[in-house]
Amino acid sequence: MAAQQAYRLLAVTVLAGAPLGAAPTAAAVGPPPLDESRLPTAGPPAPPRLTAQHDDCVAAPPTPPAPTDPGQLTGLDLPTVWALTRGAGQTVAVIDTGVARHRRLPHLVAGGDYVSTQDGASDCDGHGTIIAGIIGAATDSAHDSAPGASRAFTGIAPDATILAIRQSSNKFHSTDEPAGTGFGDVETLAAAVRTAADLGATVINISSVACLPVDADLDDRALGAALAYAVDVKNVVVVTAAGNVGGRGQCPDHNPLDRTEWDDVAVVVSPAWYDDYVLTVGSVGPDGSGSKFSLAGPWVDVAAPGEGVVSLAPAGEGLVTTRPAGAAISGTSYAAAVASGVAALVRAHSPELTARQVMQRVEDTARRPAGGWDAVVGGGVIDALAAVSDPSSTDPRQAALPSRATAAVEPVVEQVAERWATQGAVLCFTLTAGIVVLSASMRRLRRGDEAIPGD
């Protein structure tokens, strides 16, 4: 969804002239052509390979912090936004390391597990729970009457349902790979996107990315097919992190900051490079400038706060602001979560908008950089109030697509149960405790954060 029309034209040319399933050409930078035959089959989530846990799960901090302000969300003016909508009726799928059950996630629904034998509502790494908290943590009733309670940390769309799907983990590995390699790749991500769309998600948050040198071989056609299915068949907004550089396990290099052409990039990022199907989010600091770790690219659409994060502790019932070693939590993962929460607010307030129109609304209402679009913050920093209240923007490309009404979504709990019932009623697993580790190939995923509790 980035403002690079050259890529959109390139995509049209490729789709029109190349056979389905053709490998990407070396002449131009861009994702492979869409191949609908690579869409993952529908079915109950399960690890594709035998997995095992090799590291302890994150533990609750000794003294969970309880900030009386919303931390990185301070500038979003959420009380004013909530007078218009709080995200009721929306289901945001968090495809991540799982989401732990927490008293401030009352609308959490388990959506499945591609890592182990659980249901998605557990989080050994602690990453997905932080994401979910930014999107939809409820107000802490214990502080409702306390001074400053109106500024206490709360998720952006506190009335939205969170659909938890565990798709990756650094605490598990495939038993046919060395311990410590982690689990989850573009194939499990593609399957998780299909599952989230089929289970009634209206927004999907992806804060894990595959990033690799531009000349490397990345076959992510299954993911491309899943993204197209989610957006154009199921009418789902898909939000993804831009990716990070400069930290352990992060992207290998930085793209040029002063050029925006596709052929200039040194590193490609998936899902972000499927630009027509995802809203890609970079990170900014408290002053609104691009974060030094936020990976630049022609696919970056917007930016959102991703430094000094406050969110839900992945273990226990409190909040978290730092890693165990004391470093602040920062990364494009958390910026993407902000955008997902805002997308849920827009969908709740304007249910007539299609997924593409919602993504365009978020872009069009962002606060523009002084120099215009750039490769770090895209079209600017997200403005939640403007996105919710401005009715003027729609995506002109939508006119070329089949008309799709935004259908009412049945309660997601009932939908999950019904879908699994039609596919065999009971999920049977033969795997031992564990998680599917990220492939050691170029399909490996990296989380869009710079500092994660437990890492």
Side-chain angles (χ1 to χ4, degrees), residues 318-331:
L319 302 177
V320 64
T321 60
T322 62
R323 293 198 299 166
I329 303 170
S330 299

Side-chain angles (χ1 to χ4, degrees), residues 133-188:
I134 294 169
I135 296 170
T139 303
D140 187 352
S141 59
H143 293 85
D144 281 350
S145 59
S150 62
R151 290 177 49 78
F153 171 78
T154 302
I156 292 170
D159 289 350
T161 294
I162 300 295
L163 178 66
I165 299 177
R166 181 157 68 166
Q167 177 270 326
S168 62
S169 174
N170 286 340
K171 305 294 185 178
F172 290 77
H173 68 281
S174 172
T175 56
D176 60 5
E177 293 186 348
T181 50
F183 189 81
D185 57 21
V186 292
E187 299 294 330
T188 56

Side-chain angles (χ1 to χ4, degrees), residues 2-72:
Q4 301 303 299
Q5 188 64 28
Y7 170 64
R8 292 178 183 136
L9 296 175
L10 171 64
V12 171
T13 301
V14 171
L15 290 174
L20 290 179
T25 64
V29 175
L34 290 179
D35 183 350
E36 294 179 0
S37 71
R38 297 294 297 271
L39 178 67
T41 58
R49 299 182 297 280
L50 188 68
T51 63
Q53 185 174 346
H54 61 258
D55 196 6
D56 294 336
C57 296
V58 295
T63 306
T68 57
D69 65 69
Q72 81 281 11

Side-chain angles (χ1 to χ4, degrees), residues 77-390:
D77 193 12
L78 291 177
T80 302
V81 175
W82 291 335
L84 300 172
T85 175
R86 292 170 58 89
Q90 302 306 303
T91 297
V92 183
V94 175
I95 298 177
D96 212 279
T97 61
V99 179
R101 297 192 182 278
H102 195 287
R103 64 186 177 85
R104 295 184 65 179
L105 291 174
H107 308 299
L108 178 66
V109 174
D113 194 341
Y114 289 93
V115 168
S116 184
T117 60
Q118 300 181 50
D119 61 2
S122 59
D123 184 8
C124 201
D125 299 67
H127 187 259
T129 306
I130 295 175
I131 298 297
I134 294 169
I135 296 170
T139 303
D140 187 352
S141 59
H143 293 85
D144 281 350
S145 59
S150 62
R151 290 177 49 78
F153 171 78
T154 302
I156 292 170
D159 289 350
T161 294
I162 300 295
L163 178 66
I165 299 177
R166 181 157 68 166
Q167 177 270 326
S168 62
S169 174
N170 286 340
K171 305 294 185 178
F172 290 77
H173 68 281
S174 172
T175 56
D176 60 5
E177 293 186 348
T181 50
F183 189 81
D185 57 21
V186 292
E187 299 294 330
T188 56
L189 181 55
V193 169
R194 167 87 196 247
T195 293
D198 285 344
L199 291 180
T202 54
V203 179
I204 293 174
N205 185 93
I206 302 173
S207 286
S208 296
V209 302
C211 50
L212 59 155
V214 68
D215 57 352
D217 182 20
L218 172 65
D219 184 358
D220 64 348
R221 286 173 290 171
L223 179 56
L227 295 170
Y229 173 79
V231 174
D232 287 337
V233 177
K234 292 295 187 176
N235 194 32
V236 185
V237 173
V238 182
V239 180
T240 187
N244 296 346
V245 294
R248 179 172 63 88
Q250 304 303 328
C251 296
D253 197 359
H254 214 309
N255 287 324
L257 303 181
D258 58 345
R259 297 194 298 274
T260 60
E261 297 299 325
W262 280 73
D263 289 343
D264 292 328
V265 302
V267 176
V268 295
V269 181
S270 182
W273 70 344
Y274 285 100
D275 188 45
D276 279 346
Y277 299 99
V278 298
L279 183 74
T280 298
V281 188
S283 172
V284 294
D287 63 355
S289 61
S291 300
K292 64 180 181 180
F293 55 78
S294 192
L295 180 63
W299 43 73
V300 178
D301 297 306
V302 291
E307 297 185 24
V309 170
V310 175
S311 191
L312 302 184
E317 294 297 334
L319 302 177
V320 64
T321 60
T322 62
R323 293 198 299 166
I329 303 170
S330 299
T332 59
S333 280
Y334 314 116
V338 172
S340 291
V342 171
L345 294 176
V346 174
R347 302 214 81 169
H349 187 258
S350 302
E352 74 282 359
L353 297 181
T354 66
R356 286 177 175 273
Q357 290 171 331
V358 171
M359 289 188 276
Q360 196 67 45
R361 170 77 67 81
V362 173
E363 289 187 60
D364 289 347
T365 57
R367 297 191 293 274
R368 303 295 179 196
W373 187 94
D374 72 51
V376 179
V377 302
V381 179
I382 286 176
D383 186 327
L385 181 59
V388 169
S389 58
D390 181 356

Side-chain angles (χ1 to χ4, degrees), residues 384-397:
L385 181 59
V388 169
S389 58
D390 181 356
S392 62
S393 174
T394 58
D395 186 348
R397 290 168 293 166

